[in-house]
């Protein structure tokens, strides 16, 4: 009986550790999702700025036109780099979300094992019903 109680204590400690691991995974996943959102917004802004500069009209001379085109090409390069960074951030966020789901599954499995162990202990501590014994003697006594 003591071994069963010790096992339950170990399972409860393991469940607390797994819950902390789940919280850590959730924080990392949230941070990755936040980074992804920021990078996607930045990529969209640089894309729109590059398109805006590429479509500029009213340039007075060739030097101004060359400067605007050069600036627009630079923004397009930054936009590509930012889009690549956003794609990497998306992969990382997906990995973090998978880690979060795995952490939750591990925690749930340990919780289930602890609940099962608690039932075993509770079942063992209940005194057996002894009323099923066959009476001896005759019914006339």
């Amino acid at each position: 009986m003591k071994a069963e109680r010790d096992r339950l204590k170990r399972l409860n400690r393991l469940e607390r550790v797994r819950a902390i691991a789940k919280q850590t995974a959730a924080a990392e996943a949230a941070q990755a999702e936040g980074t992804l959102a920021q990078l996607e917004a930045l990529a969209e802004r640089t894309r729109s700025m590059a398109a805006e500069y590429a479509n500029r009209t009213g340039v007075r001379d060739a030097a101004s036109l060359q400067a605007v085109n050069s600036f627009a090409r630079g923004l397009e390069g930054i936009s590509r780099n930012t889009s690549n960074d956003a794609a990497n951030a998306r992969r990382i966020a997906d990995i973090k979300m998978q880690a979060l789901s795995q952490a939750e599954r591990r925690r749930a499995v340990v919780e289930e094992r602890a609940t099962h162990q608690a039932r075993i202990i509770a079942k063992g501590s209940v005194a057996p019903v002894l009323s099923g014994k066959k009476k001896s003697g005759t019914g006339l006594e």
Side-chain angles (χ1 to χ4, degrees), residues 21-37 88-106:
K22 179 190 164 206
Q23 289 174 347
T24 302
E28 289 175 359
Q31 184 179 12
E33 289 290 331
T35 301
L36 172 61
N88 287 336
R90 186 174 294 110
R91 282 190 290 278
I92 291 169
D94 290 344
I95 289 169
K96 296 292 184 180
M97 289 302 286
Q98 288 173 354
L100 174 60
S101 67
Q102 288 173 353
E104 171 55 23
R105 282 193 300 270
R106 284 189 212 110

Side-chain angles (χ1 to χ4, degrees), residues 12-25:
N12 286 333
R13 279 193 306 264
L14 182 59
E15 183 183 359
R16 285 192 301 271
V17 168
R18 296 281 167 90
I20 291 168
K22 179 190 164 206
Q23 289 174 347
T24 302

Side-chain angles (χ1 to χ4, degrees), residues 71-117:
F71 187 70
R73 282 193 306 274
L75 281 176
E76 288 170 2
I78 291 171
S79 177
R80 276 193 308 276
N81 289 342
T82 307
S83 294
N84 290 339
D85 290 345
N88 287 336
R90 186 174 294 110
R91 282 190 290 278
I92 291 169
D94 290 344
I95 289 169
K96 296 292 184 180
M97 289 302 286
Q98 288 173 354
L100 174 60
S101 67
Q102 288 173 353
E104 171 55 23
R105 282 193 300 270
R106 284 189 212 110
R107 189 209 57 78
V109 166
V110 172
E111 179 185 35
E112 185 178 312
R113 287 172 47 200
T115 303
H116 179 70
Q117 185 66 30

Side-chain angles (χ1 to χ4, degrees), residues 38-59:
Q38 288 176 344
L39 284 170
E40 285 179 338
L42 183 61
E44 181 56 37
R45 279 192 307 236
T46 54
R47 227 178 282 121
S48 67
M49 283 177 60
E52 201 175 296
Y53 274 98
N55 294 328
R56 280 226 168 151
T57 58
V59 179

